[in-house]
Amino acid sequence: MHSLKLPQTMKRRRPIPQPPSTPPTPTLLKTLASNSKPTSNSSKKPRILIKTPQTPPPTTPISPKWVPLNIAKSELSLALTFPTGQTFRWKQTTPLQYTGVIGSHLISLKHLQNGDVAYLIHQSPSEENARSALLDFLNVGISLSEMWEVFKASDSRFAELAQYLGGARVLRQDPLECLIQFLCSSNNNIGRITKMVDFVSSLGNYLGSVGGFDFYEFPSLDRLSMVSEEDFREAGFGYRAKYIIGTVKALQSKSGGGIEWLASLREMDLQEVVDALSTLPGVGPKVAACIALFSLDQHHAIPVDTHVWQIATRYLIPELAGSRLTPKLCSRVADAFVSKYGKYAGWAQTLLFIAELPSQKTILPPKFWVTEENKDTNIKASTTETILWTLHLCTCVPTRWRTLQRDQMAKQARAELSHHSHSYSSRTSHQCTHRVEQLHPPCPRSQQISHAHLSHMGNRVS
């Protein structure tokens, strides 16, 4: 089978109204003072196009040194910005350092002892251009602290979370990079997305290796057009392969060029942006909103998925809790966020989304864990009852059945209990036990088990 070497890996519509409220105009942060390596391929039938490297840009010698960015941690937290699903091209190269590529610049970022951010340029045609590109990428024209003061004044929960999640910033990525990355993200997990993005990146110019990771300039549209659907499928992209191929062709057909067309979307209204992006293969409302928020200056774009839906139904539109998420309700969710947070609703949603990530349990106090777990109450109640019913089976089913039919019966019980689980959200273990008996009357032998014992087992599951 033809295979392509992957580099090492590391590790969101419908009509959207214009925002009714506007946070204060953000202030510009402090202005700063002043060889190509081909990708190896192992294949029975080498494809020449895949093996042909591009000529790297000329570089000037850069003395490796860390330079303060004069950006406080409250404005930029690396750990709350890079590994949170905005981009998949930045790697954690040391415990406190993140490294990535911006254009043709290979740059590392880290927090200094006082919490401020510093950068180091590993490879770049121009140190001055690298710094300018970095500032643009980090969206430093927007003051996070000023924006959050408005959010905190109108949302007490946001105010509490902000104490622990300061510096969760929205990046301003290259539109093509962002587009391809989120085409890979469709119905996918972080690990596979990262592998796919790494594969695409490896088609570009090699810039260097940091912390055991190889870094590449993102490939051009012309370079991407040289890769076939078969190549992408063999690299594990599945059905997404045809979307990438189709999107690349669609961009190449744009009058004036695909890169220029994408950049022009920054000057449009959000709904126009979403509509335009949705003409590309594989781009739906959620993916379009992600691209709009993370690369096209659409700061009130709300990518709606099941996680954001749960946040919205818990804190913004609880009257919709229990409803099934539909395209129409996606629009309702977006409206709710914009109504609450205004012009920069996408930034607020980003923090609320980050707060739901399992990795943040090490940062947030236990009171927020309880809130997190409440969203799974239905599942937990169903699980408790399943265990109780399995125990019931173990005691009342004749011994000769246990090894042959117990599993099948338990499976049927789980299915029925799952069907009813939506009504058990606040049920105690004793009530769960009572409900099991209502659904499946126990045999005389099972009644010998005390309710106290069943409640004890239920509490252990909960």
Side-chain angles (χ1 to χ4, degrees):
M1 177 183 293
H2 172 68
S3 63
L4 294 167
K5 181 181 178 182
L6 292 175
Q8 286 182 298
T9 62
M10 67 164 192
K11 81 149 192 13
R12 143 164 87 112
R13 169 153 126 109
R14 296 300 253 218
I16 305 165
Q18 290 303 306
S21 59
T22 304
T25 302
T27 59
L28 180 65
L29 297 183
K30 196 180 302 181
T31 304
L32 296 178
S34 310
N35 62 68
S36 175
K37 173 182 175 180
T39 304
S40 60
N41 293 269
S42 174
S43 175
K44 297 179 181 179
K45 300 183 291 182
R47 289 182 170 85
I48 301 301
L49 292 176
I50 295 297
K51 296 173 67 177
T52 302
Q54 292 180 310
T55 303
T59 60
T60 56
I62 295 176
S63 57
K65 61 179 180 179
W66 288 97
V67 181
L69 266 177
N70 296 325
I71 299 178
K73 193 173 183 179
S74 61
E75 286 289 339
L76 173 59
S77 168
L78 303 178
L80 294 176
T81 299
F82 288 108
T84 55
Q86 292 188 58
T87 177
F88 304 92
R89 280 182 31 89
W90 282 69
K91 316 293 185 183
Q92 187 172 6
T93 46
T94 74
L96 301 176
Q97 176 179 313
Y98 291 83
T99 304
V101 177
I102 305 172
S104 57
H105 318 290
L106 176 57
I107 301 175
S108 285
L109 297 172
K110 74 174 182 180
H111 287 290
L112 301 175
Q113 289 186 346
N114 66 357
D116 288 359
V117 178
Y119 71 97
L120 183 151
I121 303 174
H122 299 279
Q123 175 81 2
S124 174
S126 164
E127 188 171 358
E128 182 179 356
N129 290 341
R131 184 180 63 202
S132 177
L134 174 60
L135 292 175
D136 181 72
F137 175 74
L138 295 177
N139 244 337
V140 298
I142 296 177
S143 171
L144 200 62
S145 58
E146 289 190 14
M147 183 194 306
W148 282 20
E149 285 303 314
V150 177
F151 295 160
K152 289 189 288 186
S154 63
D155 186 346
S156 59
R157 183 170 183 271
F158 188 101
E160 288 189 278
L161 289 171
Q163 298 179 49
Y164 306 96
L165 302 177
R169 176 169 286 275
V170 170
L171 300 170
R172 189 176 194 256
Q173 302 177 56
D174 174 83
L176 177 61
E177 291 187 30
C178 193
L179 168 58
I180 299 300
Q181 288 183 82
F182 281 97
L183 281 176
C184 295
S185 73
S186 176
N187 296 315
N188 215 342
N189 59 65
I190 297 295
R192 288 192 66 208
I193 298 169
T194 303
K195 288 182 179 181
M196 293 177 184
V197 172
D198 284 344
F199 172 82
V200 175
S201 299
S202 70
L203 302 172
N205 298 321
Y206 174 79
L207 296 180
S209 179
V210 180
F213 296 95
D214 290 334
F215 292 90
Y216 303 81
E217 184 177 0
F218 199 80
S220 65
L221 276 177
D222 288 342
R223 183 73 180 95
L224 290 172
S225 68
M226 297 177 182
V227 188
S228 69
E229 181 177 338
E230 179 186 357
D231 291 325
F232 281 121
R233 286 189 177 275
E234 289 182 353
F237 283 67
Y239 68 87
R240 302 166 194 85
K242 64 181 179 181
Y243 293 151
I244 295 177
I245 294 298
T247 290
V248 169
K249 291 180 178 179
L251 291 174
Q252 287 186 309
S253 69
K254 297 294 183 183
S255 176
I259 301 301
E260 292 75 11
W261 180 79
L262 285 171
S264 71
L265 299 181
R266 287 175 168 168
E267 309 301 322
M268 297 183 181
D269 292 334
L270 177 55
Q271 189 56 54
E272 294 177 304
V273 171
V274 171
D275 291 343
L277 289 172
S278 297
T279 64
L280 300 174
V283 178
K286 182 217 169 181
V287 169
C290 286
I291 300 165
L293 176 61
F294 300 136
S295 70
L296 298 176
D297 301 336
Q298 303 293 333
H299 304 299
H300 62 294
I302 308 295
V304 181
D305 59 10
T306 55
H307 302 290
V308 175
W309 167 248
Q310 290 168 354
I311 294 171
T313 54
R314 268 182 286 153
Y315 306 114
L316 300 178
I317 43 177
E319 66 273 16
L320 294 182
S323 302
R324 179 184 177 186
L325 183 59
T326 64
K328 184 176 181 179
L329 288 183
C330 282
S331 179
R332 179 82 177 272
V333 170
D335 293 348
F337 273 97
V338 173
S339 177
K340 182 74 171 180
Y341 301 106
K343 181 179 179 180
Y344 289 89
W347 290 60
Q349 176 269 330
T350 297
L351 177 131
L352 298 176
F353 176 82
I354 292 173
E356 301 292 313
L357 297 175
S359 59
Q360 304 314 321
K361 283 193 174 184
T362 59
I363 300 177
L364 297 174
K367 65 178 180 178
F368 290 107
W369 300 2
V370 174
T371 300
E372 167 70 17
E373 292 173 355
N374 283 344
K375 73 180 183 180
D376 294 326
T377 299
N378 294 345
I379 298 175
K380 288 180 179 293
S382 179
T383 302
T384 299
E385 292 185 315
T386 298
I387 296 297
L388 295 173
W389 174 240
T390 301
L391 181 60
H392 164 81
L393 287 174
C394 292
T395 57
C396 72
V397 176
T399 302
R400 66 179 180 272
W401 284 14
R402 291 182 184 176
T403 57
L404 298 177
Q405 299 189 17
R406 184 177 58 189
D407 289 344
Q408 181 179 358
M409 294 177 68
K411 183 177 181 180
Q412 294 172 348
R414 289 189 187 96
E416 184 166 357
L417 291 171
S418 176
H419 175 71
H420 293 280
S421 64
H422 65 275
S423 64
Y424 309 151
S425 57
S426 61
R427 201 178 302 278
T428 63
S429 297
H430 179 81
Q431 289 172 315
C432 286
T433 304
H434 179 66
R435 181 60 173 164
V436 169
E437 294 178 348
Q438 287 181 320
L439 293 171
H440 303 276
C443 68
R445 184 178 178 184
S446 69
Q447 291 176 330
Q448 296 172 8
I449 301 177
S450 69
H451 280 281
H453 180 63
L454 289 174
S455 296
H456 172 69
M457 292 296 292
N459 287 331
R460 289 182 60 186
V461 175
S462 300

